[in-house]
Amino acid sequence: MSIAITLPDNSVKHCDAGVSVLDVAKSIATSLAKKAVAGKVDGQLVSLDTQLNADAKLEIVTKDSADGLAVLRQTATFVLAAAIKELYPDVRLGQGEAQADGFFYDTDKDDGQLTVDQLPEIKAKMAEIVKADQKIAAKTLSQAEALTYFANEPFKKQLVQAQAGEIKGFQLGDFFDFEEAALLPSLKELKHFSLLSVAGAYWEGKSSNPMLQRIYGTAYYKEADLEDDAKRRQEAKERDHRNIGRDLDLFFVDPKAGAGLPYWMPNGATIRRVIERYIIDKELADGYQHVYTPVLANLDMYKTSGHWDHYREDMFPPMDMGDGEMLELRPMNCPSHIQIYKHHIRSYRDLPLRIAELGMMHRYEKSGALSGLQRVREMTLNDGHTFVALDQIQEEFKKILRLIMDVYEDFNINDYSFRLSYRDPKNTEKYFDDEEMWTRSQAMLKGAMDDLGLDYYEAEGEAAFYGPKLDIQTKTALGNDETMSTIQLDFMLPERFELTYVGNDGQEHRPVMIHRGVVGTMERFIAYLTEIYKGAFPTWLAPTQAILIPVADVHDDYVQELKRKMLAAGLRVEVDNRNEKMGYKIREAQTRKVPYTVVVGDKEVADAGVSVRRYGEEHAEEESIKMFVEAMQAEVRNYSRDGKRKPSEIDKVLGD
């Protein structure tokens, strides 16, 4: 029987039924077959020896593709499990999986979990298995056979019992693991791999399940790629805000006190306070009125807003006050700002009405999703809402964008892109049900960007449940995309809360609500800055801007007077007069990444000056106290920028 194989270029090959994916690759080109590692049949990854018995769409997967790398890593996962079972027969296996940056396998052991110290032994065993290059053969077991095979593997048994029908997997020697994904036909390609770390992970990601030990690794087809990966991981480790936060004593999270609930130490609190004061002053100057609103509200408010219907899984359970009142920790600030708007009768003369707040919110995050300051359960959002008339949208949109760009300039954020985030038209149930509203608001948002002439890309499925938005995507220190700022058009909430203003015709009209966040949450923004700066915060943000070190006790009075002058000038300084060697004190100041280390000895006292060493520099410079203090003040005033601000391309679009 002949079958039709449709290739990616829409050409069709007619082959005999039972032809393998590899045979099809050979019939196309010998060079293609040499690079092939798997196939994709009707979108599903399959091994090269998979036989085709019906018409299908086929793509040959090669080493140099993302799918090809996934196949290599899935094979590494399989070999990792085989090596562990050979070394430690009493280990119980969970599940393994290939990821975008590597692979992992979950294990469990009664007499102490596997540790990082055992990774070299496991890696050596994997290399031994790879060198033997035994064939990995696809194998199918009945459910009864699989249960017998996994009689001493409780986690595997759970997976088998959850399957309907036969269990598909692969055999390597005496080792079998069930696996739907494709594996390499030969282990000879699995030469360049590394085992990286171990960490706890709940079985199937549920905190109510046992904690297993997860072994992480990565693999590449080329040694150079593996070496580059090691460099990237080292850079990521050095920039990880959790590590820097610990080393610089910025914050900590104690799971015993509450996972996902950061404690800000004085250093971290200083950075946060500077940013908060900065953003409040910036918004006040831009016409915002700052408010405080409660972190608790009646559950009915979130039912009216739609958060309870569309966002319930991310909200904490309501608190029953015992008299029929149900209070909810707020997941968003917008309903609170709506209450501010509704408290007075509004006129068209009040619009645009700009309300802002550093508003604390709470999100119900699973323990496994929490990460330092980037993913927390309590966060403070730099939030703002503008209530406008329909004909004010364009100008207000431009004004908000100008504010965001000014803030980016002050923080030296210059690697960003604009994303228009729309509703997913194929998955409308998770969005507010108003087709006309979505069509109208998405068109208005797109029109605003087109009128401004700014480049953007569009993404379906990224909208808020109540409306489309402009997301400003920044690059993190490691090159990942992250949403920093948003501007959202909202016709829904004004309707649901029956907001009105009296127009110049004396009639009531419905305002439009614009949600906006300039720097997102304080937690995530400080995590972002910590990694971008690698902990070396610019002078205006640094918790300690200068450390003053007297060479001897006789210089201490001079240093204390200098400290008083600098504090009076609004600078953050410390004196290090500990009984330690000078070299040790200077090195410690550099380790703390303090912008300026100031040494005072006989010469400095005689000259009424200071010896100044900037962070990261080898040599000190002599300066008068007056010049040094004025230079530091100017640096803080200019947000640690050198020279005058240069107009950017977006300045030409938005105006000065």
Side-chain angles (χ1 to χ4, degrees):
M1 182 181 77
S2 178
I3 59 173
I5 307 297
T6 304
L7 302 175
D9 62 359
N10 289 323
S11 63
V12 178
K13 289 188 74 71
H14 294 279
C15 305
D16 292 335
V19 66
S20 71
V21 172
L22 180 60
D23 288 336
V24 176
K26 288 177 179 177
S27 71
I28 297 171
T30 303
S31 58
L32 178 63
K34 287 181 179 179
K35 293 192 296 180
V37 293
K40 233 177 180 178
V41 178
D42 295 331
Q44 180 73 36
L45 273 172
V46 299
S47 298
L48 281 177
D49 59 1
T50 299
Q51 295 182 337
L52 306 177
N53 293 299
D55 295 349
K57 291 182 179 180
L58 174 64
E59 177 185 346
I60 304 300
V61 175
T62 56
K63 301 176 191 176
D64 54 1
S65 67
D67 284 330
L69 193 56
V71 172
L72 175 74
R73 289 171 174 171
Q74 195 64 46
T75 306
T77 303
F78 181 85
V79 173
L80 170 59
I84 290 171
K85 286 301 288 185
E86 189 169 338
L87 287 170
Y88 317 105
D90 59 331
V91 165
R92 295 183 291 272
L93 298 177
Q95 284 180 296
E97 185 178 309
Q99 297 180 305
D101 62 347
F103 59 88
F104 70 80
Y105 212 104
D106 292 341
T107 66
D108 191 34
K109 195 167 182 281
D110 284 333
D111 57 343
Q113 299 283 22
L114 297 177
T115 69
V116 69
D117 294 335
Q118 291 163 290
L119 295 187
E121 182 182 26
I122 297 171
K123 183 183 177 184
K125 177 56 69 175
M126 289 177 68
E128 184 182 314
I129 293 171
V130 168
K131 186 176 181 181
D133 195 22
Q134 286 182 273
K135 181 175 174 57
I136 299 177
K139 186 173 182 178
T140 300
L141 300 179
S142 68
Q143 193 172 61
E145 289 172 328
L147 288 172
T148 300
Y149 183 84
F150 292 120
N152 298 316
E153 296 277 4
F155 303 108
K156 290 294 185 185
K157 283 173 70 175
Q158 285 184 39
L159 296 174
V160 170
Q161 289 165 346
Q163 296 268 336
E166 294 181 321
I167 306 300
K168 294 181 179 179
F170 291 88
Q171 186 90 30
L172 177 65
D174 294 330
F175 178 74
F176 172 84
D177 201 1
F178 60 91
E179 177 65 68
E180 293 286 343
L183 298 186
L184 293 172
S186 168
L187 293 180
K188 64 183 180 182
E189 296 289 358
L190 186 58
K191 295 177 183 176
H192 312 297
F193 66 91
S194 180
L195 298 184
L196 303 168
S197 60
V198 297
Y202 289 113
W203 172 238
E204 295 187 321
K206 298 177 181 177
S207 58
S208 57
N209 285 342
M211 175 75 77
L212 307 186
Q213 196 77 330
R214 178 167 290 181
I215 298 177
Y216 289 96
T218 193
Y220 288 89
Y221 286 103
K222 297 178 182 177
E223 185 175 5
D225 290 338
L226 185 63
E227 291 173 353
D228 288 343
D229 180 86
K231 292 175 184 175
R232 285 194 299 271
R233 290 179 188 276
Q234 181 59 32
E235 178 71 9
K237 184 178 179 181
E238 291 174 2
R239 288 189 181 273
D240 191 321
H241 77 279
R242 294 167 296 185
N243 297 333
I244 296 172
R246 179 194 63 237
D247 295 342
L248 300 186
D249 203 22
L250 303 181
F251 74 96
F252 70 90
V253 178
D254 184 351
K256 294 179 181 178
L261 302 173
Y263 286 74
W264 294 88
M265 297 299 286
N267 287 339
T270 298
I271 297 169
R272 175 170 171 164
R273 184 168 57 251
V274 170
I275 295 172
E276 289 178 344
R277 287 173 176 172
Y278 163 86
I279 201 69
I280 289 173
D281 288 345
K282 200 83 172 172
E283 289 174 337
L284 290 174
D286 212 41
Y288 285 87
Q289 301 177 56
H290 258 261
V291 299
Y292 294 100
T293 58
V295 297
L296 286 168
N298 194 297
L299 179 61
D300 289 342
M301 192 162 81
Y302 298 111
K303 289 182 177 179
T304 301
S305 70
H307 286 95
W308 188 246
D309 288 337
H310 295 275
Y311 206 72
R312 188 181 310 182
E313 290 184 359
D314 297 298
M315 297 170 66
F316 278 96
M319 290 171 273
D320 189 344
M321 304 308 293
D323 56 0
E325 183 183 25
M326 301 293 286
L327 292 183
E328 177 65 40
L329 280 168
R330 70 177 173 194
M332 298 288 187
N333 302 312
C334 28
S336 301
H337 291 183
I338 286 173
Q339 298 306 311
I340 297 283
Y341 180 92
K342 290 184 69 174
H343 189 63
H344 295 301
I345 296 172
R346 304 295 180 178
S347 159
Y348 70 96
R349 299 179 190 276
D350 298 324
L351 306 183
L353 179 65
R354 304 180 184 97
I355 298 172
E357 179 180 11
L358 292 172
M360 185 181 291
M361 312 181 306
H362 294 81
R363 304 277 174 86
Y364 184 86
E365 296 280 5
K366 298 290 180 65
S367 298
L370 300 173
S371 177
L373 296 176
Q374 288 176 325
R375 201 74 178 264
V376 292
R377 286 173 171 156
E378 177 184 276
M379 65 220 73
T380 300
L381 180 65
N382 161 228
D383 211 358
H385 297 91
T386 306
F387 300 87
V388 298
L390 200 60
D391 60 359
Q392 295 173 327
I393 290 176
Q394 171 77 23
E395 193 58 35
E396 189 63 21
F397 183 89
K398 180 178 177 180
K399 184 178 179 66
I400 294 170
L401 198 51
R402 172 73 278 166
L403 171 63
I404 293 171
M405 294 300 103
D406 281 348
V407 171
Y408 281 21
E409 176 70 22
D410 290 341
F411 284 95
N412 196 29
I413 299 169
N414 47 44
D415 192 354
Y416 55 83
S417 59
F418 298 111
R419 181 183 77 187
L420 290 185
S421 298
Y422 301 147
R423 175 186 64 161
D424 183 353
K426 298 175 183 175
N427 186 21
T428 58
E429 65 272 7
K430 72 176 194 174
Y431 302 99
F432 179 61
D433 185 17
D434 188 331
E435 189 69 32
E436 182 182 352
M437 181 277 287
W438 281 100
T439 301
R440 181 187 194 189
S441 55
Q442 289 183 175
M444 290 187 76
L445 193 63
K446 187 177 189 304
M449 291 296 287
D450 289 339
D451 288 345
L452 290 170
L454 295 172
D455 292 333
Y456 61 86
Y457 65 98
E458 298 168 296
E460 292 182 343
E462 296 294 337
F465 76 84
Y466 48 78
K469 54 181 177 161
L470 169 69
D471 289 323
I472 303 179
Q473 302 296 108
T474 56
K475 289 288 185 185
T476 67
L478 299 175
N480 300 317
D481 262 0
E482 184 174 280
T483 301
M484 177 74 71
S485 312
T486 63
I487 307 175
Q488 306 169 18
L489 295 185
D490 184 359
F491 291 82
M492 182 200 83
L493 289 183
E495 189 71 34
R496 299 195 81 166
F497 282 93
E498 300 180 344
L499 303 187
T500 61
Y501 68 91
V502 179
N504 60 4
D505 59 359
Q507 302 298 311
E508 288 190 343
H509 299 270
R510 190 79 73 206
V512 178
M513 193 173 175
I514 302 178
H515 308 244
R516 49 105 284 207
V518 177
V519 296
T521 68
M522 289 297 107
E523 290 76 12
R524 182 169 286 189
F525 187 54
I526 292 173
Y528 165 84
L529 292 177
T530 301
E531 295 184 354
I532 286 288
Y533 298 137
K534 212 171 182 177
F537 291 94
T539 304
W540 76 285
L541 284 176
T544 301
Q545 295 167 326
I547 287 184
L548 314 180
I549 305 176
V551 173
D553 291 346
V554 70
H555 309 117
D556 196 54
D557 288 345
Y558 182 93
V559 166
Q560 293 296 340
E561 179 60 25
L562 175 58
K563 177 184 176 182
R564 283 191 287 273
K565 289 180 180 179
M566 294 183 73
L567 289 174
L571 301 172
R572 298 185 291 276
V573 297
E574 294 178 14
V575 172
D576 187 351
N577 52 12
R578 294 173 298 164
N579 187 25
E580 298 284 356
K581 291 182 179 179
M582 181 62 58
Y584 174 83
K585 293 181 183 180
I586 292 173
R587 283 193 301 274
E588 189 176 78
Q590 293 287 297
T591 301
R592 289 176 58 188
K593 305 186 179 183
V594 176
Y596 291 100
T597 303
V598 180
V599 176
V600 172
D602 291 341
K603 185 177 186 304
E604 287 74 29
V605 172
D607 296 343
V610 287
S611 175
V612 180
R613 177 175 169 177
R614 215 187 153 94
Y615 171 74
E617 295 183 358
E618 293 292 329
H619 304 290
E621 295 182 1
E622 301 292 328
E623 294 185 32
S624 71
I625 291 176
K626 184 174 185 296
M627 285 182 60
F628 173 57
V629 171
E630 288 180 350
M632 278 194 69
Q633 286 180 305
E635 191 173 350
V636 172
R637 192 166 52 248
N638 295 328
Y639 306 113
S640 304
R641 293 196 300 258
D642 294 329
K644 190 176 179 182
R645 181 182 186 275
K646 297 177 182 178
S648 64
E649 285 301 313
I650 202 161
D651 289 318
K652 299 173 186 176
V653 174
L654 298 175
D656 296 330

